[in-house]
Structure formats: structure tokens, C-alpha cells
Amino acid sequence: MTTSTSPDAFSTDAWMRRFVQSAHTAKDRLTALDQEVGDGDFGINLSTGAHFTLRHLEANPASGNDPAAPLHAAATAFLDEVGGTSGPLFGLLLFQSLAFAVAEAGAATTPALAAGAADGLAAIRRVGEAAPGDKTLVDALGPAAEALRTAPEGTPPAEALARAADAAWAGVSETARLRARMGRSSYLGERAEGVPDPGAVGIGLLFASARSVVEDLSTRLD
């Protein structure tokens, strides 16, 4: 496999490490959100996946030289260690799709990240049967994937991911105005309105962490 050694190359290792910190910081707020509209375990699940992602990264420091390896580490951690729907959706479908696309390209280029996000979105929609407007993580991942796909040619991956993060957060805000049509929150009717979907928030955290650690969710949700 060819790896990128350009000084402008985007570090997926640093991205995943920032995501780990963001997930831990957001744990309590995500738990509170999921207690309102879900099973109450999303914050714990995301933090658990992040914890084991970091363990994989620390156990294999050389993987930082392989742009796909940190994404594979996250995929393995979420799939093996996280229960509920969070593990398969984030691990097997999203992180694994990103890892495969980056591995095929040999670098975390904008086209590779766009392909991985699109493949992950398609897999999640196929397996979870969720569509845009159902108040799920699809409402954040869809806009993020589209932002990556439509990034102007030559856009550096860090900038493209920043665009994806902005699009994801816009999608998160939209979920607060939607009535859920999937999952436990679909049974809550109007009681779930006004509350953003926790899974969508997780997607926002992921893409925002490409640029920096998300220290305070209130800047995005309040």
C-alpha cells in the first residue's frame, strides 16, 4: 500500500485522536439527549468506542504512517466493543467504509473521503432503512457526504472535512425540528420534537474533530 508523505497530507491518526477526546467530552450531554429521545445509552456507547479506538491506536503506534489504519482501528473498536446499534453503524458501516476508500486511494484525499462517506451513508441507509427526514444520523451524514462530494477540485482534505462538519451540524439542527419516524423516539411523538437526534450529533462530532476537539456541545446545540 502506498501512503501519503506530503507535508500537506491529512492525518487520520490525529483526526481519530481528536474524535476520541470529543466523544469523551460530549458523553454526559449525549447521554442526557438520548434519555429524552432514545434508550439513554448513546453517550456511553460513543465514549466506549472512543476509548477502545485510542487503545488500538496506542497499541499500534506505527499505524500512524498508514492513513487507513486509524480508521480501521475505530471500525474494529466500535464493532467489537460497542453494543446496541451504535457499534455496527459507526464501526462496520461508516468507519470501515472510510478505511476501505482511503486504503484504495493510498491517502486520505478529499475524493477518497468523499467516496468513503458516500459508501457509509448508502450502507447505513440500506441496513437501517432510514431516509432523510426520519430524524436519524442520516440527516447529518447525508449533508456531510454531499459536502465532501461537491468540494471543488483540489480542495485539501482538512478543508473539505470542515465543510462536511458545517453541513453535518446544519443537519443536526434540522433533526431538532423533525418528528421521528424511526427508532424509539418515533413512539414519543411531539415529546421528541425540539431535541436533536443523538446519533446525528455523533456524526457532527466526528467530522468537526477533523479540525479540532469539540470541547463544548452547547455552542452547537443551544
Side-chain angles (χ1 to χ4, degrees), residues 130-197:
D134 284 346
K135 195 182 176 88
T136 71
L137 64 81
V138 165
D139 293 301
L141 181 55
E146 180 66 8
L148 287 169
R149 186 187 71 81
T150 58
E153 185 176 355
T155 301
E159 181 181 331
L161 287 165
R163 291 170 179 249
D166 290 341
W169 287 126
V172 169
S173 296
E174 184 62 24
T175 65
R177 294 188 284 271
L178 295 172
R179 177 172 292 193
R181 295 197 293 259
M182 299 285 292
R184 181 177 180 274
S185 57
S186 65
Y187 299 103
L188 301 178
E190 294 181 356
R191 286 180 291 169
E193 293 181 21
V195 181
D197 178 72

Side-chain angles (χ1 to χ4, degrees), residues 71-182:
L71 297 167
H72 277 302
T76 300
F78 273 81
L79 187 60
D80 290 352
E81 307 294 345
V82 178
T85 58
S86 304
L89 291 182
F90 276 82
L92 180 62
L93 303 181
L94 180 53
F95 285 123
Q96 197 77 294
S97 294
L98 287 167
F100 284 153
V102 168
E104 184 174 358
T109 62
T110 294
L113 293 167
D119 289 347
L121 173 64
I124 288 170
R125 289 195 60 181
R126 182 175 64 252
V127 173
E129 300 183 344
D134 284 346
K135 195 182 176 88
T136 71
L137 64 81
V138 165
D139 293 301
L141 181 55
E146 180 66 8
L148 287 169
R149 186 187 71 81
T150 58
E153 185 176 355
T155 301
E159 181 181 331
L161 287 165
R163 291 170 179 249
D166 290 341
W169 287 126
V172 169
S173 296
E174 184 62 24
T175 65
R177 294 188 284 271
L178 295 172
R179 177 172 292 193
R181 295 197 293 259
M182 299 285 292

